[in-house]
Every structure is written in structure tokens, then in C-alpha cells.
Amino acid sequence: MISGKLDTAKLFNGITLHSTVETTPGADATTERMQPDSYVLDLKLQARVPSPNKTIEELAKVSPSLPKLLPGLASMLSADPVSPLYAQLYDTKVRMLRENLGRLDLLLSRHNFFDCQTVLQMQHPQTHRKALLFQADMDVDADGSDGDRMPVGTGAPTNFKPSTSYRWQKKTAAPNPYLAGTEAALKHAEDEYALGTTTPVRKRELRNAIAQLRAEVDTLKKYSFLIGAADPFIVVPGAFTHSSEPVKPGDYALVVFGDSIYPAIVGDVGPNNKVGEASLRIAKQVNALSTPYNRPVSDLKVTYVIFPGTADKTVGLPDLEKLQAQCETLVKEIGGASVPLHHWENIIAPSPTPSPTPLPSPGMTASPSPGASVPASTSPSPTFAFPVASPAAAASTNSKLTPAISPAATRRPVKKHKP
């Protein structure tokens, strides 16, 4: 049922609407009022499924510098390089349009329907290195948290998730910065569920929420995750992880935009009907005005190259120097690059280590005096890359540090939702 005030002539999702009213003679009003087919609105959505780019010339229309930046790509394109994932992506989009046709507010926007230019499966003829290339826009993933590296949260914008698909066992006892809030939400849901006045429908909703929150609390206690504001990673549709040559979290990747090539890993998995998303760290490097609500690139001008099967066997803390070295090696295996890969700097300050204890002078005892204690002032204080500071102190923060994310920022059209 379509309810509420909805100006169908100005649909927010960019769908062009052609509307007409047709009338035919009928029976008397009392009779026609009782006939379901006497007053009907027929909805017919027409959508053109786009054709994928296949040649290096077509790829260059999206990324003009691509053939020059990665000259070996041309030799990697077969006669029919289009991956089945492209057809699968648009089949999913069309299926969702059919399922949501009665809810105009849930239909994919024009922007999100036409968000992928192509998906190609490639292999270098000499090295046999395989790669998956797709061209799309770039939305922002600000998800992720890691109490071991960053005990302070970076904010919680709309649709924020404190976890990412790429995760590893926690190394310290430092709590996740979003654990307390998740535990509070769990307690609130459990308290409401225990109320005698809770309706059966609401109880069913609460049961689902409680199960989800309990799982999230357990996950936040056990694992560390990538941090969207600090780590360079990209997001792939879930279908990409179940193909014949699946992409997996941790696989190495390249993001090509303009005249630059950015090393990255596959860090998160998103819904099957949308493509084109990178971490806030990459987004801000591409466009300094990027926020969780403002995408850095709205046009289909970003090329993503993923190297399936290259993830490290041991999952662990991101190593930006290793990322650099691995991507440089993989680039050589597809013919090399005409420019150096972008070098990522670690913007998370390492925890300070205590000063070494001075050795005792000859003739002095190293044993402390009975009852002596270490003054509190000698204990090192933690240093965070994203400190919680007063507005005055914030102005002096190192310019290399990404500012905390504020949900009050101007909201962008939300594209990605975690499954």
C-alpha cells in the first residue's frame, strides 16, 4: 500500500515518471465502488540494462589514463572478457525492482541502478596472473573499529557498523570503543522484552534484535577490525565472494582514479545489488571533501582491480609497508605501472613504550627499598591518533590525522547498506 504524502511526479530516486489518466464509461457508482478493477493504478517500470565495456578503448572512456597507467591491461583482455558477475549484478537489481515495485520509496535510485560500467575477468598471457576489474563510482565505507590500535571511536554515522568482514583475534585487553554502547543497547532491549505490557509483535522484533546484539557483543569482545578512517580497503558485493574464482577479504587490490594508483585490500563485503565503495581513508585521499555522507566520486570513473586468491594465509593487523610491497609485486605481474603506487602513511600513532630502566652504577644495589612504590607520574600516558579534545585543542591536531566523524555532517544519498 502506498500511503502518506508522496509527490510521484518528483520521485527522489531519479526515476522519470510518465503519467496519464484514462476513463471508460461504467455502471452506477454504487456498483463500481464494489468492483476492484474499476479504479486501478497500473505500475510499469521500464529500465534499460546497460551493456558492459569490453575493450581497452571502452575502458579508457571511463578512465582516460588507465591504458597509460597500466599498459599491460590491453594484453589481458580476451575476446569475451566480461565476467558472469556483471550479468548477475544486474539480474539482482532487476529482481529487486520487481520485488519492491509496490513501494516506490524502496526502488533503487537511477544513480544506484546504473552504478557499474563493467566487470571483467582477465589474465596476463606471460605470468598468468589473474585479476578481476570493474569500473564504478565510489561511495564511502566508514565502518570498522579496533580497540587495540584506536581506543577512541571515530564516530557513528548513519548505517555505521563497528565491524568489517576482514577481522582478526584481539591482541590486547583494551575494550572496543563501541562495546559499551552495544551492551547498553542489548540491556535496553532485554529490559523492554521483560515488560509485561510488550505486545507479541514487539516481542518478536525484540527477540531478533537481542539475538543480533548478543552476537555483536561477542564479536566485539573477540576481534579487531579494519578502521574505515585509517585503513585503505574496498568493499565488494557478496556475490563476488561466491563466484567460480571468488574474491575474499584480504585479497590485494588497486584503485585507479585520475593519474594515481592506490594500493588496497578487500576489507568488507556489501549487498549484492550495488557496487563501488571504498574506505574513508581512500575516499579522502581521492577527494579531500569526502565524508561518510559525501561520496568522493559520483561518476563511473573509478577502476578497481582485484587479485583473487592473494590474501595472506594469516589474518592480522594491517601492515601498510607489506601492502605496498605486495601490490607492487602484483602490478609487475600484470605488465607494470607507469607511475609509482601511492604510499600510505600510518596515521595511527603507536602506543608509547616505557623508557628503559637505567642500569645501576657499580657498587649500587638494583633492589628497591622496602615499601618503595613507582610514582603515578612516571607511568606513560597513551597517545591516540584520534584524540578526544576540546574545540581549542582540536585546532592544533596533527594535520595528517583524520578528524572524528560527526553524524551532523550534511547527509549524502545513502547507497550502501550492510546485509
Side-chain angles (χ1 to χ4, degrees):
M1 298 293 292
I2 300 176
S3 60
K5 184 177 181 181
L6 179 63
D7 188 351
T8 55
K10 297 179 181 178
L11 294 180
F12 75 96
N13 47 19
I15 298 175
T16 301
L17 180 70
H18 299 291
S19 58
T20 60
V21 177
E22 297 178 355
T23 61
T24 57
D28 61 273
T30 300
T31 301
E32 294 296 356
R33 176 180 282 184
M34 303 302 295
Q35 301 299 318
D37 59 349
S38 64
Y39 200 65
V40 177
L41 173 65
D42 291 320
L43 287 177
K44 180 181 180 181
L45 176 62
Q46 296 177 318
R48 296 177 185 169
V49 177
S51 301
N53 288 345
K54 300 179 181 180
T55 67
I56 193 67
E57 292 78 17
E58 291 173 335
L59 294 178
K61 291 180 180 178
V62 175
S63 301
S65 299
L66 185 62
K68 179 183 66 175
L69 294 174
L70 298 171
L73 288 184
S75 66
M76 298 177 66
L77 297 175
S78 63
D80 185 16
V82 180
S83 169
L85 291 171
Y86 182 82
Q88 187 175 345
L89 172 68
Y90 275 93
D91 286 346
T92 302
K93 291 176 182 286
V94 172
R95 175 176 55 80
M96 295 192 69
L97 290 179
R98 291 194 178 105
E99 292 174 353
N100 295 325
L101 191 55
R103 287 289 306 274
L104 299 184
D105 56 324
L106 295 182
L107 292 180
L108 278 174
S109 68
R110 177 191 296 270
H111 179 96
N112 287 342
F113 186 78
F114 298 105
D115 67 356
C116 184
Q117 195 81 0
T118 193
V119 182
L120 304 179
Q121 50 192 10
M122 308 183 301
Q123 184 173 14
H124 195 273
Q126 279 79 47
T127 65
H128 304 293
R129 169 58 64 191
K130 294 183 178 181
L132 185 73
L133 179 150
F134 61 95
Q135 291 182 314
D137 55 10
M138 183 186 288
D139 270 17
V140 179
D141 186 342
D143 292 348
S145 57
D146 180 3
D148 294 349
R149 292 185 294 157
M150 191 182 299
V152 178
T154 58
T158 305
N159 300 323
F160 173 82
K161 297 289 184 183
S163 60
T164 59
S165 301
Y166 185 92
R167 63 188 63 184
W168 61 96
Q169 290 284 342
K170 280 183 60 62
K171 306 299 183 184
T172 76
N176 186 287
Y178 299 96
L179 176 60
T182 307
E183 289 178 327
L186 173 60
K187 184 178 186 307
H188 179 80
E190 291 174 336
D191 290 345
E192 183 181 351
Y193 184 83
L195 294 176
T197 56
T198 307
T199 66
V201 173
R202 180 57 179 164
K203 277 186 175 292
R204 184 167 59 251
E205 295 174 349
L206 288 170
R207 277 197 300 270
N208 294 334
I210 289 170
Q212 182 176 345
L213 287 167
R214 284 176 178 169
E216 188 169 330
V217 165
D218 187 56
T219 298
L220 293 180
K221 287 181 177 179
K222 290 182 179 179
Y223 298 101
S224 289
F225 311 91
L226 296 173
I227 303 170
D231 298 320
F233 65 86
I234 65 172
V235 183
V236 297
F240 282 30
T241 66
H242 298 97
S243 64
S244 57
E245 295 181 354
V247 172
K248 296 297 184 182
D251 280 344
Y252 290 94
L254 306 173
V255 178
V256 183
F257 179 71
D259 295 323
S260 300
I261 305 175
Y262 303 94
I265 65 168
V266 175
D268 218 347
V269 177
N272 289 330
N273 64 321
K274 299 169 187 175
V275 71
E277 190 172 8
S279 66
L280 181 60
R281 177 73 191 273
I282 294 179
K284 292 189 76 68
Q285 186 65 42
V286 168
N287 183 341
L289 299 180
S290 301
T291 73
Y293 304 98
N294 293 318
R295 64 175 65 91
V297 185
S298 291
D299 297 328
L300 308 180
K301 293 186 177 298
V302 185
T303 299
Y304 304 83
V305 181
I306 302 174
F307 302 99
T310 59
D312 297 331
K313 289 182 172 53
T314 302
V315 180
L317 187 73
D319 184 337
L320 295 182
E321 294 304 320
K322 183 177 182 179
L323 169 66
Q324 186 83 20
Q326 291 291 89
C327 284
E328 287 176 351
T329 298
L330 291 167
V331 165
K332 290 178 182 178
E333 294 180 3
I334 61 171
S338 62
V339 298
L341 303 189
H342 176 80
H343 184 269
W344 297 107
E345 294 183 3
N346 185 8
I347 60 175
I348 301 180
S351 299
T353 56
S355 301
T357 304
L359 294 175
S361 301
M364 293 183 61
T365 177
S367 302
S369 303
S373 61
V374 179
S377 60
T378 63
S379 302
S381 58
T383 301
F384 303 140
F386 294 79
V388 175
S390 65
S396 63
T397 303
N398 188 325
S399 60
K400 292 183 180 179
L401 306 183
T402 305
I405 304 166
S406 170
T410 303
R411 184 174 181 177
R412 68 170 173 88
V414 176
K415 173 179 177 181
K416 303 291 189 257
H417 299 276
K418 292 296 177 293

